[in-house]
Amino acid sequence: MTAQRRFVRRTVLAVTASVAALTLAACGNDGDGKAASGTASATATGGHNAADVSFSKEMIQHHRQAVEMAGLAAGHASSAQVKSLATKIEGAQAPEIRTMSGWLTSWGEEVPKDMSGMDSGMDHDMSSSSTPGMMSDADMGKLEKASGADFDTMFLTMMVEHHEGAVSMAKAEKTDGEYKPATELAAGVITAQSAEIAQMNKMLGKG
């Protein structure tokens, strides 16, 4: 091959590569120069939607209250079953709080402030929230003051309602959510907490 032909061949290859690059760039943008919808856009946003954000924020607060309630059992409950269940609840939900907080941070969303454990006189009554199953400050105050068999009954009754709220939220996320890890976590919440609801109702003599 002569030097002239080699030069022509290199020139053609360079032009072909440039055209391909321009074509890809055009396909990746719409008329306003913004990234087109599709896989690239989904990857950039983490593949999540507003339902995923709402679920994560509300479930973080919901889990925090469950962990707070569970934390009372060690010093207030009389039943070994209640103490064991409380430990199980705390062990499952605390890591999920960290997981969902990580999602929100990666999405550029604010992680809700932890209002648990604050004085009841503070203006943080979570009962004003639309989050299903959340206990009011008054409820939490009663639980903190209870002990023995009274605590056991109160804890189980409140936690059944609390779990039912979580299951409701999780079902909504499975229907409306887009972020796969979030919908998978929601499915896990439904399975685990539905089983615990049945267990607690049995402990209350309702099963």
Side-chain angles (χ1 to χ4, degrees):
M1 182 182 293
T2 66
Q4 183 178 4
R5 289 180 66 185
R6 285 198 297 269
F7 174 77
V8 171
R9 188 168 181 268
R10 286 198 299 269
T11 302
V12 170
L13 290 173
V15 170
T16 301
S18 298
V19 171
L22 288 171
T23 301
L24 288 172
C27 290
N29 291 274
D30 59 19
D32 296 325
K34 297 179 181 178
S37 60
T39 304
S41 178
T43 301
T45 60
H48 71 284
N49 61 15
D52 299 316
V53 174
S54 295
F55 169 76
S56 299
K57 288 187 174 184
E58 292 182 7
M59 193 61 85
I60 283 172
Q61 294 291 56
H62 205 270
H63 274 17
R64 281 173 176 165
Q65 189 177 67
V67 168
E68 184 180 1
M69 293 167 68
L72 296 172
H76 295 257
S78 62
S79 167
Q81 280 186 300
V82 169
K83 292 181 180 181
S84 177
L85 176 63
T87 299
K88 180 181 177 182
I89 290 171
E90 188 171 2
Q93 297 194 24
E96 290 179 348
I97 291 171
R98 292 192 292 271
T99 295
M100 291 183 285
S101 296
W103 294 342
L104 290 172
T105 300
S106 71
W107 297 336
E109 299 284 347
E110 184 177 354
V111 177
K113 293 181 179 179
D114 188 355
M115 304 299 287
S116 63
M118 297 181 68
D119 293 337
S120 59
M122 299 293 287
D123 184 20
H124 69 284
D125 190 345
M126 288 183 282
S127 66
S128 62
S129 169
S130 60
T131 307
M134 291 290 282
M135 298 296 109
S136 68
D137 281 345
D139 291 331
M140 293 298 292
K142 290 177 182 178
L143 188 63
E144 289 172 3
K145 293 176 182 177
S147 61
D150 288 341
F151 175 89
D152 295 342
T153 300
M154 192 178 300
F155 173 84
L156 293 171
T157 302
M158 288 184 178
M159 195 61 82
V160 165
E161 182 180 349
H162 206 268
H163 272 25
E164 287 173 343
V167 170
S168 175
M169 293 162 62
K171 286 180 177 178
E173 167 62 14
K174 279 195 67 179
T175 300
D176 302 326
E178 179 181 325
Y179 189 55
K180 187 176 180 181
T183 58
E184 289 177 342
L185 187 148
V189 166
I190 294 169
T191 299
Q193 297 202 22
S194 293
E196 288 173 354
I197 289 170
Q199 178 186 355
M200 290 187 286
N201 277 329
K202 186 175 181 179
M203 292 165 70
L204 286 166
K206 299 178 180 180

